[in-house]
C-alpha cells in the first residue's frame, strides 16, 4: 500500500524538528484498528490488519515516502514555562485524504528522541487504548478532535509504578502545531525573556512583553500555520492579527462544546492547545457526572487550575501566551503592538460567553435568543449543583419534559418543588419562539447525548483489556459511543452514573 506521505513541516527552519526514526519493538501485534477512519483517509484497512500494517504502525518498518521527525515545542505547564518536544512520538508524515484534507500521521510511544528528557520513549497499553476510546467518543459527539488510527501492542513491558504491557498509538491530527510551538519559536527569537516573564504571571490573562527580537522563527511558523489551516488569510495585510482572531474563535467554540457534554480536559497546558482547534491529549481527562463547576479528576491538578468551570479562563490565558509570541509581527512599534494585543485578548470573555450561551440554549431547545436566557440557564445549573444532579442525564431527560404541563408529568425525577418555578419559566420561554415543541425536542436531542464515556465504564473496559486481554468491553463501548445521541440501541447500562463506591475517581497523565 502506497501512503504517498509528504512532510511540508520540514520546510520550516531546522530548529523546529529533528529527523529521527522510531525505535523497533519486539513483536508488534494489532490490537485495535479504526476501520472507518482508515477508509476516510483512503487507506486499506484489510492491509493494515496484516502483519505488515502492525509493523509499520509500530515503527518497525518505514514506508518509503516517510521521513520521520520529532517536533520541537515548548509549553506552559500549570502556568510555568518549559522547553519540551516529542519525547516519545514520531511524525511519519502528512497524508492527503480523498476529501482533500491534509493530516498528520504520528506514532506515540515509538521510542526516545532528543526531547525525551531521560524518558524511555515508550507508552503503556492502557493509556493508548484510553486515547483511542475518548478520541472516538469526542468524534461521535461532534467535537473537533484528534483521532487514533490504531493501537499496536509491542510485545514488550514498560516500567512505570509497575511493569505494564507496551503499545504504540497512531494519532491522526489536522496538524500538531500548538500554542507551545509558537512559544518555542518566540523563546528562540527572544532568548527566553518573554517566556520567563509569562511564567511569573501564571493566573494573569493579560499580554506581557519583554526583551527585543526580530520574530524570524515566529514569522516562519505563523506563515506556515496560515498556509496549513487558514489559507484565506494569506493575502491579508493584517494576517497575523487575523490568525489570532481565527484561533481564538475556534478555541472559544471548542471549549464551549467541551462543556456542553461535561468534558474536562484536565491538562490545558499551552502545549495541549492546537492552532487547528482540535482537542489533543487525552491523559487526565474525564467526563463530569454530578454537575459541579469545581469538578477536577486529574491527580496532579491539586489546586483545581483546570477544573470544569475554569476551562474558559485557562483558554484565555493560553491565548494571551500566543499573542505574546506574535507581538513582533503585529506592529514595528512595541507599545503599539502591545496595545493591539491587549485589545484583542479583551474580546475573549464576551466571545466565549456568546458561544456558551448558544450551546446552552440549544440544550434547552431554544432556537432564538432573549435577554433573560442567561438567568434561565444559570438558575437550572445552580439547581443541578445544589441537588447533585447528573449533568448528562438531566439535560437528556429534559427533552421528555419539554411538552409537559407540569414538571414530573413524564418523569418523576423532575417533580422536585425547587424546580417547579424554573420549569414554568422554561415552558413559557419555549412557547414564545417560532416552531412547535417537536422542533424544540429535536434540538435538545441533537445537543444532549444519551451516552457519554462514563469514567467507570472506561476504566472497566481498559482493565479488561490490559489485565485479561479481553477487548469485548472496549468494543461494545465504542459501538455505543459511535452514535451517542441515538436511542435506538439499548444503552441503559451505559447511561447509569457510577455508584457511591465509584464516585472517588482520579485520572493520571499516562498518555
Amino acid at each position: 500500500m502506497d501512503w504517498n506521505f509528504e512532510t511540508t513541516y520540514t520546510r520550516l527552519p531546522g530548529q523546529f524538528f529533528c529527523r529521527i526514526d522510531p525505535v523497533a519493538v519486539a513483536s508488534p501485534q494489532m490490537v485495535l484498528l479504526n476501520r472507518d477512519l482508515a477508509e476516510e483517509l483512503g487507506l486499506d484497512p484489510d492491509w493494515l490488519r496484516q502483519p505488515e500494517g502492525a509493523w509499520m504502525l509500530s515503527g518497525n518498518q518505514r514506508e518509503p515516502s516517510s521521513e520521520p521527525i520529532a517536533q520541537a515545542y515548548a509549553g506552559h505547564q500549570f502556568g510555568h514555562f518549559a522547553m519540551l518536544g516529542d519525547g516519545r512520538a514520531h511524525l511519519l508524515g502528512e497524508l492527503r485524504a480523498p476529501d482533500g484534507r491534509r493530516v498528520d500521521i504520528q506514532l506515540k510511544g515509538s521510542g526516545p528522541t532528543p526531547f525525551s528528557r531521560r524518558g524511555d520513549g515508550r507508552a503503556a497499553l492502557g493509556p493508548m487504548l484510553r486515547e483511542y476510546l475518548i478520541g472516538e467518543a469526542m468524534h461521535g459527539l461532534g467535537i473537533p478532535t484528534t483521532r487514533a488510527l490504531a493501537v499496536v501492542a509491542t510485545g514488550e513491558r514498560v516500567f512505570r509504578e509497575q511493569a505494564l504491557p507496551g503499545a504504540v498509538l497512531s494519532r491522526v491530527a489536522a496538524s500538531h502545531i500548538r500554542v507551545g510551538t509558537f512559544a518555542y519559536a518566540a523563546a528562540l527569537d527572544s532568548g527566553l525573556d518573554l517566556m520567563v516573564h509569562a511564567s511569573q504571571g501564571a493566573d494573569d490573562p493579560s499580554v506581557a512583553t519583554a526583551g527585543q527580537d526580530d520574530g524570524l522563527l515566529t514569522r516562519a511558523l505563523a506563515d506556515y500555520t496560515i498556509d496549513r489551516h487558514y489559507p484565506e488569510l494569506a493575502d491579508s495585510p493584517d494576517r497575523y492579527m487575523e490568525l489570532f482572531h481565527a484561533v481564538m474563535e475556534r478555541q472559544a467554540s471548542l471549549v464551549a462544546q467541551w462543556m456542553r457534554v461535561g468534558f474536562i480536559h484536565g491538562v490545558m497546558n499551552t502545549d495541549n492547545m492546537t492552532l487547528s482547534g482540535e482537542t489533543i491529549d487525552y491523559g487526565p481527562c474525564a467526563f463530569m457526572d454530578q454537575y459541579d463547576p469545581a469538578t477536577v479528576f486529574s491527580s496532579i491538578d491539586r489546586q483545581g487550575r483546570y477544573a470544569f468551570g475554569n476551562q474558559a479562563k485557562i483558554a484565555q490565558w493560553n491565548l494571551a501566551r500566543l499573542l505574546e509570541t506574535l507581538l513582533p509581527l503585529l506592529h514595528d512599534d512595541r507599545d503599539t503592538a502591545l496595545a493591539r494585543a491587549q485589545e484583542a485578548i479583551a474580546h475573549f470573555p464576551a466571545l466565549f460567553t456568546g458561544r456558551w450561551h448558544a450551546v446552552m440554549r440549544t440544550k434547552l431547545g431554544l432556537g432564538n435568543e432573549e435577554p433573560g436566557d442567561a438567568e434561565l440557564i444559570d438558575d437550572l445549573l445552580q439547581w443541578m449543583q445544589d441537588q447533585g444532579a447528573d449533568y448528562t442525564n438531566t439535560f437528556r431527560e429534559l427533552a421528555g419534559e419539554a411538552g409537559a404541563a407540569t414538571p414530573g408529568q413524564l418523569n418523576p425525577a423532575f417533580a422536585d418543588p425547587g424546580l417547579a418555578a424554573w420549569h414554568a419559566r422554561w415552558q413559557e420561554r419555549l412557547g414564545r419562539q417560532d416552531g412547535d415543541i417537536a422542533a424544540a425536542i429535536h434540538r435538545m436531542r441533537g445537543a444532549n447525548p444519551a451516552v457519554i464515556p462514563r469514567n467507570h465504564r472506561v476504566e472497566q473496559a481498559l482493565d479488561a483489556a490490559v489485565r485479561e486481554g479481553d477487548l469485548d468491553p472496549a468494543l461494545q463501548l465504542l459501538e455505543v459511543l459511535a452514535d451517542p445521541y441515538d436511542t435506538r440501541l439499548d444503552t441503559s447500562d451505559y447511561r447509569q452514573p457510577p455508584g457511591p463506591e465509584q464516585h472517588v475517581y482520579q485520572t493520571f497523565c499516562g498518555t
Side-chain angles (χ1 to χ4, degrees):
M1 186 173 67
D2 191 356
W3 292 68
N4 293 318
F5 278 128
E6 297 178 345
T7 314
T8 62
Y9 197 81
T10 57
R11 298 173 191 169
L12 286 167
Q15 294 97 321
F16 284 103
F17 61 91
C18 68
R19 298 181 187 274
I20 184 167
D21 287 334
V23 179
V25 300
S27 180
Q29 299 288 330
M30 186 66 68
V31 176
L32 273 181
L33 175 67
N34 194 332
R35 187 179 188 91
D36 290 344
L37 179 57
E39 291 175 346
E40 283 180 32
L41 298 177
L43 302 174
D44 181 355
D46 294 327
W47 183 90
L48 289 171
R49 285 197 177 279
Q50 300 303 311
E52 294 85 354
W55 273 67
M56 181 184 164
L57 294 180
S58 66
N60 275 28
Q61 178 177 311
R62 186 204 280 197
E63 206 279 335
S65 62
S66 176
E67 299 178 23
I69 63 171
Q71 293 177 311
Y73 52 87
H76 295 85
Q77 301 189 315
F78 286 86
H80 301 284
F81 179 76
M83 295 293 270
L84 303 168
D86 288 333
R88 54 173 176 169
H90 296 74
L91 178 63
L92 298 183
E94 300 151 18
L95 189 70
R96 183 72 77 172
D99 62 4
R101 288 181 297 153
R102 178 185 295 275
V103 296
D104 284 357
I105 307 292
Q106 184 199 64
L107 299 186
K108 191 172 181 180
S110 46
T113 76
F115 307 112
S116 294
R117 297 184 296 169
R118 300 186 299 278
D120 62 10
R122 294 305 187 187
L125 176 61
M128 297 302 95
L129 289 173
R130 178 182 175 83
E131 180 155 343
Y132 187 116
L133 285 169
I134 303 300
E136 286 307 286
M138 295 291 272
H139 177 69
L141 289 163
I143 297 173
T145 180
T146 59
R147 298 174 69 187
L149 176 60
V151 175
V152 177
T154 63
E156 300 174 350
R157 310 293 279 182
V158 297
F159 295 90
R160 301 298 182 253
E161 290 81 7
Q162 57 183 311
L164 299 167
V168 176
L169 177 132
S170 45
R171 180 161 66 188
V172 177
S175 82
H176 286 81
I177 305 169
R178 316 153 188 262
V179 171
T181 316
F182 278 81
Y184 172 84
L188 297 186
D189 279 336
S190 66
L192 292 177
D193 290 345
L194 180 61
M195 303 302 115
V196 171
H197 180 88
S199 293
Q200 293 169 351
D203 296 314
D204 185 355
S206 62
V207 179
T209 182
Q212 293 275 2
D213 70 81
D214 54 19
L216 290 179
L217 290 174
T218 305
R219 186 181 301 273
L221 180 61
D223 287 341
Y224 177 81
T225 302
I226 290 170
D227 181 65
R228 182 91 180 249
H229 295 300
Y230 304 94
E232 68 278 7
L233 305 181
D235 296 328
S236 170
D238 199 18
R239 60 185 177 277
Y240 303 119
M241 180 57 83
E242 291 185 24
L243 169 64
F244 172 76
H245 279 289
V247 173
M248 183 166 66
E249 287 269 358
R250 290 193 186 184
Q251 288 298 330
S253 294
L254 180 65
V255 175
Q257 291 294 332
W258 287 355
M259 296 175 70
R260 173 177 66 85
V261 297
F263 176 75
I264 303 167
H265 186 281
V267 61
M268 288 179 66
N269 298 332
T270 55
D271 52 299
N272 291 329
M273 178 181 276
T274 64
L275 274 287
S276 66
E278 288 184 323
T279 313
I280 191 170
D281 197 322
Y282 290 109
C285 70
F287 283 76
M288 182 169 58
D289 293 306
Q290 295 181 344
Y291 176 75
D292 184 347
T295 301
V296 174
F297 292 105
S298 172
S299 62
I300 61 174
D301 190 4
R302 297 181 180 89
Q303 305 302 316
R305 177 180 175 86
Y306 299 141
F308 177 82
N310 285 346
Q311 292 182 119
K313 182 177 71 174
I314 294 300
Q316 181 181 7
W317 193 92
N318 290 349
L319 289 163
R321 306 290 76 78
L322 175 62
L323 259 179
E324 286 168 353
T325 73
L326 297 175
L327 285 175
L329 313 184
L330 300 183
H331 202 278
D332 292 338
D333 178 72
R334 191 168 59 174
D335 290 341
T336 302
L338 183 60
R340 295 194 70 204
Q342 299 285 22
E343 181 182 4
I345 196 66
H347 288 293
F348 182 83
L351 175 65
F352 173 78
T353 298
R355 298 291 183 273
W356 171 239
H357 285 163
V359 301
M360 293 302 288
R361 281 194 300 273
T362 306
K363 285 174 75 67
L364 291 177
L366 306 177
N368 67 325
E369 181 178 358
E370 288 190 6
D373 290 347
E375 184 179 1
L376 187 71
I377 293 164
D378 291 344
D379 288 350
L380 175 61
L381 292 176
Q382 186 61 60
W383 177 85
M384 290 171 62
Q385 184 175 357
D386 293 342
Q387 296 296 315
D390 185 84
Y391 185 72
T392 300
N393 289 346
T394 298
F395 277 106
R396 186 70 182 193
E397 290 163 357
L398 272 174
E401 293 286 321
T406 59
Q409 178 179 320
L410 301 179
N411 190 329
F414 289 91
D416 179 84
L419 195 60
W422 180 89
H423 185 277
R425 289 161 55 203
W426 176 50
Q427 291 291 306
E428 182 183 2
R429 173 68 178 84
L430 285 171
R432 288 200 301 270
Q433 63 184 357
D434 293 335
D436 57 15
I437 290 297
I441 293 173
H442 179 75
R443 276 191 290 272
M444 295 179 74
R445 290 191 176 275
N448 298 306
V451 180
I452 58 169
R454 296 280 182 178
N455 306 319
H456 63 295
R457 280 290 187 179
V458 171
E459 293 304 320
Q460 289 169 1
L462 297 182
D463 191 63
V466 174
R467 295 183 182 275
E468 303 168 23
D470 181 6
L471 282 174
D472 283 346
L475 293 172
Q476 292 165 9
L477 184 57
L478 283 168
E479 182 181 5
V480 169
L481 295 173
D483 194 354
Y485 303 97
D486 189 359
T487 56
R488 288 175 296 179
L489 291 173
D490 180 9
T491 60
S492 54
D493 288 346
Y494 294 91
R495 296 187 63 187
Q496 294 301 315
E501 74 284 358
Q502 297 168 311
H503 270 303
V504 178
Y505 180 70
Q506 277 194 320
T507 54
F508 302 88
C509 288
T511 62

